Amino acid sequence: DARNRRTNVRHLIDLTQKLETVARMHNDGDNPVVQEVSSGTVAAEAARQLREMADARGVEIRVLDPLPTLTIDVGRLELTFVNLLSNAIKYSDEAKSVRWVEIAGLENADGGCQIAVRDNGLGIPPDSVAKIFERFTRAHAQRDDAGHVGGLGLGLSIVEDCVGAMHGRIEVQSAEGVGTTFVLTLPCTPPGALKP
């Protein structure tokens, strides 16, 4: 009973924090801090925050160099990485002896820099892929073997809001039993953009 109460309290705290995040992002008073930053530094900080969770589930977090330098809202980029990494950790495939999630730079796309967050987890059922960015949607909510995974279905909605606010876009590719890849396309830092 005490364990259930602790779990319920954690869920309520998580819900409160995520609802505050959603409200803050839609508040006109939100003042983003836009600066030039290595996305690798931001990814490493997100990985550091989730190290304990990853270790508990036996998931290796990899931040692969090189990652692009961006002129971006650092807080939203970090929140995006944290949500994508935590989902990958939560939905890791316990049947696999090696479990990982990685953040890697891709070849620059027309009009933006691309970053992939990919894992070798459970993957997303095909009928859920189109809905995963909707609020309160959980792709594995009905699966018995993923029933131990807590979640509110807000994380990917927050990610989509963050990416949109950073003038980027996000796409997903997934195969059940293989894993999932999220590709972020974000504005690159124009050469000398922040120099006097």
Side-chain angles (χ1 to χ4, degrees), residues 3-19:
R3 185 177 176 191
N4 284 341
R5 281 195 300 273
R6 283 194 302 273
T7 300
N8 289 339
V9 167
R10 276 197 308 272
H11 284 294
L12 284 172
I13 290 169
D14 191 33
L15 174 61
T16 302
Q17 289 172 336
K18 287 192 172 175
L19 288 173

Side-chain angles (χ1 to χ4, degrees), residues 112-178:
C113 290
Q114 289 192 318
I115 300 169
V117 180
R118 51 185 164 235
D119 65 62
N120 70 337
L122 293 173
I124 301 167
D127 59 340
S128 297
V129 171
K131 302 180 286 191
I132 59 167
F133 294 108
E134 295 174 10
R135 285 188 189 146
F136 304 108
T137 298
R138 292 182 57 223
H140 292 285
Q142 310 309 320
R143 280 184 61 148
D144 291 339
D145 62 343
H148 67 283
V149 177
L152 304 163
L154 285 172
L156 290 178
S157 170
I158 290 170
V159 165
E160 187 178 50
D161 286 349
C162 283
V163 172
M166 293 185 290
H167 307 289
R169 65 181 188 276
I170 185 166
E171 298 166 278
V172 61
Q173 301 158 353
S174 190
E176 282 190 284
V178 177

Side-chain angles (χ1 to χ4, degrees), residues 40-118:
T41 300
V42 180
E45 172 56 23
R48 186 197 64 75
Q49 292 175 35
L50 295 167
R51 187 77 55 209
E52 188 176 323
M53 178 186 182
D55 289 348
R57 296 207 184 228
V59 177
E60 179 188 1
I61 302 175
R62 308 169 184 164
V63 177
L64 306 180
D65 286 328
L67 281 161
T69 295
L70 307 169
T71 299
I72 203 136
D73 177 347
V74 177
R76 281 192 170 108
L77 182 61
E78 184 177 315
L79 187 57
T80 296
F81 286 151
V82 165
N83 275 291
L84 291 175
L85 289 173
S86 66
N87 267 8
I89 295 164
K90 283 195 289 190
Y91 294 104
S92 59
D93 189 344
E94 293 183 0
K96 293 177 180 165
S97 59
V98 176
R99 295 181 287 283
W100 52 265
V101 57
E102 66 184 20
I103 299 179
L106 302 175
E107 285 292 319
N108 287 357
D110 289 340
C113 290
Q114 289 192 318
I115 300 169
V117 180
R118 51 185 164 235

